[in-house]
Amino acid sequence: MLGKGANLGELSLIEGICVLDGFCISTEAFKKVIDATPLVSELLAKLSLMKLGDQEQIHKYSSEIRRAFEEITIPEKIQEGLTRHLTRFGENNAFAIRSSATAEDLPTASFAGQQDTYLNIIGKEAILQHISKCWASLFSERAITYHLQNGFDHHTVYLSVIVQKMVFPQAAGIMVTANPVSGNRKVVSIDASFGLGEALVSGLVNADVYKVRNGQITNTKISNKQLAIYALPTGGTKQREIELDLQNQQVLTNDHILQLEHIADIRSKPILATLRISNGVW
């Protein structure tokens, strides 16, 4: 298993970094579901004959494959494993159901935002449903087109699904321990916005951007942040307007920014990590 699932596993082993508890539905499970579903295998064979210009056919096969995945009955062994883990965590807890593809974060292709993530999902049946939706998202029109543009065989890109306990943050964002523009490994770059990080990664909001080097904040860009996404008590999320007096307020305090640089220093090689803050705790 590669992608964010494997990276979260590595991060969880580092002292001083707290990774929310969870588990993964492996790529092997994904392969077995495909092998046990003749319709999906048949549609993938047809899809492999498509070219970039075949948009009408890509749309057709994408819709059919996604529908087939969403109608699959997840194998009993996977359901048993899910039940066992949920019993340990508490089935009524809220979870993030996150896609983790084998082709993520490659030197020549990022696949950023290609697959779906679902937040604040509560209950076994809802989790199973959204695992299927994550699998299906590997074959959205956008993802299929990206596979074709980058020369990936649809049969060789697999998906694991992360089931991870939710946190309900005041602010969230992304930290990169090397400047994403210049590649300078001495500069930590942090993007942050209010509420759940989905508003940032989906492009709904322009985030604050902070640059830090050797314990000094070298640049601060405060953006106008009009919208945020928050969790609902009954499950799922809702987009809402940010209070007027907060729209141009700095999301993270300078102390929080410097704490994050300290966390980045724990690692000896560059990483990209999501960050969330809730009641002052990272």
Side-chain angles (χ1 to χ4, degrees):
M1 182 183 64
L2 303 172
K4 68 173 69 71
N7 291 334
L8 284 168
E10 287 190 28
L11 284 171
S12 69
L13 300 175
I14 301 171
E15 186 178 352
I17 295 182
C18 178
V19 175
L20 293 168
D21 209 350
F23 55 93
C24 289
I25 310 298
S26 72
T27 54
E28 288 301 315
F30 178 77
K31 293 177 194 177
K32 288 178 180 177
V33 166
I34 290 178
D35 291 342
T37 313
L39 176 58
V40 171
S41 297
E42 178 185 330
L43 289 169
L44 283 178
K46 292 179 179 179
L47 195 59
S48 67
L49 302 175
M50 296 298 102
K51 297 178 182 178
L52 273 176
D54 301 327
Q55 286 305 125
E56 188 173 331
Q57 291 295 94
I58 288 172
H59 172 77
K60 176 178 182 293
Y61 291 133
S62 169
S63 298
E64 291 179 2
I65 291 173
R66 296 193 71 167
R67 184 164 56 250
F69 266 108
E70 292 179 13
E71 292 175 354
I72 285 171
T73 299
I74 293 180
E76 193 63 34
K77 282 190 176 181
I78 298 176
Q79 294 200 41
E80 288 172 2
L82 180 67
T83 300
R84 186 166 60 251
H85 283 291
L86 290 180
T87 299
R88 178 163 63 92
F89 293 134
E91 187 172 336
N92 292 324
N93 279 330
F95 294 87
I97 315 299
R98 308 175 64 193
S99 303
S100 178
T102 54
E104 288 177 342
D105 302 327
L106 298 175
T108 57
S110 71
F111 284 78
Q114 296 296 314
Q115 285 80 50
D116 292 341
T117 286
Y118 300 93
L119 302 177
N120 198 30
I121 307 302
I122 302 171
K124 178 183 173 182
E125 292 307 314
I127 291 169
L128 287 169
Q129 178 186 8
H130 287 87
I131 288 171
S132 295
K133 286 179 176 291
C134 280
W135 285 340
S137 71
L138 186 61
F139 302 103
S140 67
E141 286 186 65
R142 178 177 59 183
I144 290 169
T145 301
Y146 198 74
H147 295 170
L148 292 172
Q149 286 173 335
N150 289 277
F152 286 94
D153 185 338
H154 304 298
H155 291 89
T156 61
V157 180
Y158 304 114
L159 193 81
S160 71
V161 179
I162 303 161
V163 181
Q164 190 175 20
K165 288 180 72 173
M166 277 288 296
V167 67
F168 302 98
Q170 297 166 352
I174 297 169
M175 175 173 68
V176 187
T177 58
N179 188 308
V181 177
S182 68
N184 188 334
R185 297 190 178 191
K186 295 183 179 180
V187 176
V188 174
S189 180
I190 301 165
D191 293 16
S193 61
F194 293 114
L196 294 169
E198 182 64 19
L200 190 160
V201 299
S202 66
L204 180 67
V205 66
N206 292 321
D208 285 0
V209 182
Y210 318 112
K211 306 289 186 187
V212 193
R213 179 171 181 164
N214 297 328
Q216 298 290 324
I217 300 171
T218 59
N219 185 269
T220 298
K221 176 188 173 186
I222 310 301
S223 298
N224 178 256
K225 301 164 289 289
Q226 298 183 8
L227 299 170
I229 294 176
Y230 293 97
L232 294 170
T234 54
T237 61
K238 184 177 181 178
Q239 175 183 314
R240 75 169 191 243
E241 289 188 8
I242 296 172
E243 293 86 345
L244 192 61
D245 61 337
L246 292 179
Q247 289 183 7
N248 291 293
Q249 179 177 306
Q250 183 170 319
V251 173
L252 303 182
T253 66
N254 288 348
D255 283 345
H256 284 142
I257 294 167
L258 294 175
Q259 285 176 36
L260 284 168
E261 190 208 20
H262 175 70
I263 291 172
D265 284 342
I266 295 172
R267 291 280 294 198
S268 60
K269 63 180 181 178
I271 59 169
L272 183 151
T274 56
L275 57 97
R276 297 175 177 85
I277 179 171
S278 181
N279 300 322
V281 178
W282 294 101

